[in-house]
């Protein structure tokens, strides 16, 4: 009876959009059960013939090793859609749309190279070797192991994945966004906000630079129970948050201040923030719009 109750609760969690149910699930530990089920399912799919870990299956190991050798000789010239972006992969291959790995079209064998979007549930179980590429406000990783390292390096290069100087590049992107006029309308959860030129609000509410794909450290939300900075639109209360410590040394607080002002957000209490973009740290603040 208890097992049946847990299963029903899990199904409700998966198929319901009710925030209250999700909150209860987190409190009661059901979320961990769901995550464990997903992890188990991911590993099961990965060890199938077309999975990224087929090479660990004794039944396929020898054939997969030969397939990797064959694919490594092919030109990398095929554009394939995966989730919200396009990758260039070897000729005669495809991407397993369930778990993101490269599959040989002729034999059907999967190899240990796979792509993962930041919001993919299986990302948390990937190996440590990963390079990131921003696209449409989502960070994608390419994951590989010793069996595919040489081929993976070619794919990394042709697709523009990079790891070094990530923080610096992100900071430079935020600085560039700060210089732009506030003239674009961005949609988020049924509301429209004025945001900088050539930016967008992604599905998670994060302000993204469309020139580089880098996310800023400013994000919108409708789920905060007691926001410091908020605005009501059509009966919903939206809030805006930003990195007050200016992690990427780009004066993101000033950018947030401009967005807050042009969109007429209410600031309940003075909000202090750091400007780390210069040689020395500067203390700034956004004035409260409500007098106590």
């Amino acid at each position: 009876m208890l097992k049946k109750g847990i299963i029903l609760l899990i199904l409700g969690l998966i198929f319901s959009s009710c925030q209250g149910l999700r909150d209860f699930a987190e409190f009661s530990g059901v979320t961990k059960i769901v995550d464990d089920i997903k992890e188990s399912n991911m590993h099961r799919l990965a060890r199938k013939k077309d999975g990224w870990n087929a090479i660990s299956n004794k039944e396929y190991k020898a054939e997969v090793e030969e397939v990797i050798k064959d694919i490594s000789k092919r030109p990398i010239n095929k554009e394939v859609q995966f989730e919200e972006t396009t990758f260039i992969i070897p000729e005669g291959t495809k991407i397993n749309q369930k778990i993101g790995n490269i599959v040989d079209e002729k034999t059907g064998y999967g190899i240990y190279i796979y792509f993962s979007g930041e919001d993919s549930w299986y990302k948390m179980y990937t190996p440590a070797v990963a390079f990131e590429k921003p696209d449409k406000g989502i960070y994608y990783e390419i994951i590989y192991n010793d069996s595919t390292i040489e081929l993976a390096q070619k794919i990394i290069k042709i697709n523009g994945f990079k790891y070094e100087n990530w923080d610096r590049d992100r900071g430079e992107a935020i600085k560039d966004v700060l210089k732009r006029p506030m003239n674009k309308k961005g949609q988020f959860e049924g509301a429209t906000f004025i945001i900088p030129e050539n930016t967008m609000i992604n599905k998670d509410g994060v302000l993204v630079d469309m020139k580089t794909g880098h996310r800023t450290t400013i994000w919108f939300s409708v789920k905060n129970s007691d926001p410091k900075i908020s605005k009501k639109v059509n009966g919903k209360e939206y809030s805006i948050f930003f990195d007050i410590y200016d992690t990427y040394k780009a004066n993101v607080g000033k950018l947030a201040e401009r967005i807050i002002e042009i969109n007429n957000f209410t600031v309940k209490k003075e909000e202090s923030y750091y400007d780390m973009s210069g040689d020395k740290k500067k203390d700034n603040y956004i004035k409260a719009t409500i007098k106590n």
Side-chain angles (χ1 to χ4, degrees), residues 266-270 288-292:
T266 298
V267 183
K268 295 180 180 179
K269 187 178 179 181
E270 181 179 285
T289 57
I290 296 178
K291 293 183 179 181
N292 295 323

Side-chain angles (χ1 to χ4, degrees), residues 4 14 27 30 39 46 49 70-71 92 107 142 153 157 160 185 195 214 223-224 229 243-244 247 249 251 256 263 265:
K4 184 178 180 181
I14 293 171
F27 176 77
V30 174
E39 180 184 9
K49 179 179 178 179
D70 184 37
I71 293 175
T107 64
I142 179 170
Q153 291 301 321
K157 185 176 181 180
K185 292 181 179 180
I195 56 177
H214 282 290
K223 297 178 182 177
N224 195 278
I229 306 171
D243 173 19
I244 62 172
T247 304
K249 300 180 179 180
N251 198 8
N263 286 284
F265 274 88

Side-chain angles (χ1 to χ4, degrees), residues 13-57:
L13 177 64
I14 293 171
F15 295 110
S16 173
S17 60
C18 175
Q19 182 64 34
L21 181 57
R22 287 196 293 269
D23 291 342
F24 172 75
E26 290 177 6
F27 176 77
S28 62
V30 174
T31 300
K32 185 180 184 306
I33 297 174
V34 174
D35 288 342
D36 289 345
I37 291 172
K38 288 178 176 179
E39 180 184 9
S40 176
N41 186 51
M42 184 275 291
H43 284 295
R44 180 182 62 80
L45 293 174
R47 284 176 56 82
K48 283 190 168 186
K49 179 179 178 179
D50 63 349
W52 50 260
N53 205 21
I55 195 167
S56 70
N57 191 321

Side-chain angles (χ1 to χ4, degrees), residues 107-267:
T107 64
Y109 285 110
I111 65 173
Y112 206 124
I113 296 177
Y114 66 101
F115 304 98
S116 172
E118 186 174 41
D119 295 328
S120 299
W121 56 261
Y122 50 84
K123 180 190 172 187
M124 65 186 75
Y125 309 110
T126 60
V129 182
F131 287 76
E132 295 179 310
K133 173 188 177 182
D135 192 282
K136 295 185 180 178
I138 298 176
Y139 293 102
Y140 285 89
E141 294 180 324
I142 179 170
I143 298 93
Y144 57 95
N145 70 358
D146 291 343
S147 70
T148 55
I149 189 167
E150 292 183 9
L151 176 59
Q153 291 301 321
K154 295 177 185 177
I155 295 172
I156 286 167
K157 185 176 181 180
I158 202 166
N159 282 279
F161 282 92
K162 58 183 178 179
Y163 186 75
E164 295 179 357
N165 300 320
W166 187 256
D167 288 357
R168 188 190 68 188
D169 291 348
R170 191 173 182 182
E172 291 301 315
I174 295 171
K175 287 180 182 178
D176 186 49
V177 171
L178 180 57
K179 298 174 185 176
R180 300 176 198 167
M182 304 283 293
N183 59 11
K184 183 177 178 183
K185 292 181 179 180
Q187 302 289 325
F188 176 67
E189 295 284 347
T192 301
F193 299 101
I194 306 300
I195 56 177
E197 183 178 84
N198 285 322
T199 63
M200 62 174 280
I201 303 172
N202 74 7
K203 62 184 179 181
D204 297 315
V206 181
L207 182 70
V208 177
D209 174 28
M210 293 178 69
K211 286 184 179 179
T212 63
H214 282 290
R215 296 177 305 168
T216 69
T217 47
I218 296 173
W219 64 99
F220 299 82
S221 175
V222 290
K223 297 178 182 177
N224 195 278
S225 58
D226 186 25
K228 294 180 181 178
I229 306 171
S230 63
K231 177 183 181 178
K232 281 193 175 179
V233 181
N234 298 326
K236 285 185 181 179
E237 188 168 27
Y238 294 82
S239 50
I240 184 169
F241 302 88
F242 64 97
D243 173 19
I244 62 172
Y245 300 105
D246 200 23
T247 304
Y248 297 99
K249 300 180 179 180
N251 198 8
V252 73
K254 177 57 69 175
L255 177 58
E257 189 172 356
R258 291 177 61 203
I259 295 171
I260 289 164
E261 183 178 353
I262 200 167
N263 286 284
N264 295 314
F265 274 88
T266 298
V267 183

